[in-house]
Amino acid sequence: MRRHTESAPPPPPPPPERSPHVRWHPTVRSPRPTPRYYRGLPPRRRLMPRAPPRSRWRATRFVVACVATYTLCTLLRDGPPSRVASVVVVGAMGSGTVHTSRELRALGLDVTHERFDGRDGAVGYAHALLYLDPLDDKERDPLCLTNLKRAWHPQLIFLDARGECGEERDHRGAAPGGAMKRIGQCWRKACPAAARRWRGCGAKGTCPIQLAPKPVVLVRHPLRTVESLVAGFCGDGALAANGTRSVEPQILAMARIVGLEEAPLAQISCAHGFARAWAAYYGALELLIKKGAAAGVVRVE
């Protein structure tokens, strides 16, 4: 038994503290370091440089590739646009040409309204000039005098001149400038020659494209037609005949197609002007029907 005077042996020294964040043995992996926010330390600053921003050209190349692929697939599926207009329907403004074009498209025909862009044909009032040629002076076609806003432009019918001059797309009445001005000047120069090629070419078989030899004439009751035109294009101030107002472009467009004199139209009211233009328009088409140069007459309503 030990005596109290003898001291106990000293305890063994504690093992050295090893950091849990470093490897303490070559074959044993240290535990996962404790996140800094658990230890009350601020987050480390990012020492690696940031990646440079992605170039916008990558997105542009992707969009261009998509557009090119879609165009190629469309051409391979449908083939090049046909230049054969097998269906041509003519009728005055307000006679139901818009509704007729929609019904034909619902039946599967690719037709356009007032333009010659469809694969199967077109419906509109201006296409009557393809079968009518009432002018004695072939050098001065009234259709080439001015472009009539919301009524007439040579690019609607004269397809062969589009590749030469392009298309005017400023339909909001803004002053054209730059390229638009050059396109307008080109159309003014090319219109007389194009009008000589297209006037009456459907009846003669000399059109730049293969065209239906006989059109289908669309007829609506004249009072209904004039009522629609007056409601759509005649303002309150145009209903009175004062001799000083300007003639509506829609009246001038139909008058220039059938060769109606324009001066008396400024002396009558807007409604009377549309009625006179309607009578002249269908008077010219009536001659085609009597000659057997029309495929048929379709009555609307």
Side-chain angles (χ1 to χ4, degrees):
M1 189 172 178
R2 294 181 181 178
R3 290 181 294 184
H4 291 281
T5 57
E6 296 180 0
S7 60
E17 294 184 2
R18 295 183 176 90
S19 173
H21 311 297
V22 296
R23 290 186 178 181
W24 61 278
H25 194 275
T27 61
V28 179
R29 187 175 181 181
S30 62
R32 188 173 182 180
T34 306
R36 295 178 63 87
Y37 54 83
Y38 285 156
R39 292 181 284 160
L41 300 177
R44 295 181 184 272
R45 293 188 60 187
R46 186 169 181 172
L47 301 180
M48 295 180 60
R50 293 183 178 273
R54 297 184 62 181
S55 174
R56 294 183 180 179
W57 174 238
R58 293 183 181 179
T60 306
R61 284 184 298 179
F62 176 74
V63 173
V64 171
C66 292
V67 173
T69 304
Y70 176 79
T71 305
L72 181 61
C73 292
T74 303
L75 292 177
L76 292 177
R77 180 187 61 191
D78 299 335
S82 174
R83 310 303 292 179
V84 179
S86 57
V87 178
V88 179
V89 181
V90 298
M93 294 182 184
S95 62
T97 54
V98 176
H99 177 74
T100 303
S101 63
R102 292 174 180 171
E103 293 294 330
L104 292 177
R105 284 195 294 268
L107 294 175
L109 295 176
D110 184 11
V111 298
T112 53
H113 179 251
E114 304 294 1
R115 291 179 65 92
F116 248 148
D117 296 335
R119 295 168 60 91
D120 298 319
V123 181
Y125 80 95
H127 299 82
L129 68 89
L130 303 175
Y131 303 93
L132 302 175
D133 191 9
L135 302 180
D136 297 329
D137 189 359
K138 307 298 182 181
E139 300 297 328
R140 298 181 180 179
D141 197 312
L143 291 175
C144 298
L145 295 178
T146 55
N147 298 333
L148 303 175
K149 185 179 178 182
R150 298 175 58 192
W152 163 255
H153 193 287
Q155 68 188 15
L156 298 177
I157 306 296
F158 305 152
L159 298 180
D160 52 354
R162 288 187 192 174
E164 177 184 353
C165 298
E167 293 191 39
E168 291 191 40
R169 299 185 179 275
D170 190 8
H171 302 301
R172 294 173 296 178
M180 296 298 296
K181 186 175 182 179
R182 290 191 295 270
I183 292 175
Q185 294 175 352
C186 179
W187 273 110
R188 284 190 291 271
K189 294 179 181 179
C191 183
R196 289 193 296 269
R197 292 193 300 268
W198 288 86
R199 274 277 193 182
C201 67
K204 303 173 186 176
T206 59
C207 290
I209 64 173
Q210 187 176 349
L211 196 66
K214 297 181 180 181
V216 177
V217 179
L218 200 63
V219 180
R220 187 186 179 193
H221 194 283
L223 294 181
R224 293 285 189 180
T225 305
V226 174
E227 178 187 14
S228 299
L229 295 174
V230 171
F233 303 113
C234 294
D236 296 338
L239 295 178
N242 51 16
T244 59
R245 69 176 185 87
S246 59
V247 184
E248 281 66 26
Q250 292 76 18
I251 299 177
L252 290 179
M254 288 195 294
R256 293 176 180 180
I257 288 175
V258 298
L260 180 64
E261 189 177 356
E262 301 179 19
L265 297 176
Q267 307 296 327
I268 56 180
S269 65
C270 178
H272 192 182
F274 272 118
R276 184 172 295 185
W278 184 96
Y281 185 89
Y282 280 101
L285 292 179
E286 186 179 5
L287 298 178
L288 290 180
I289 298 173
K290 291 181 177 180
K291 293 178 182 178
V297 179
V298 178
R299 182 175 180 179
V300 182
E301 295 180 349

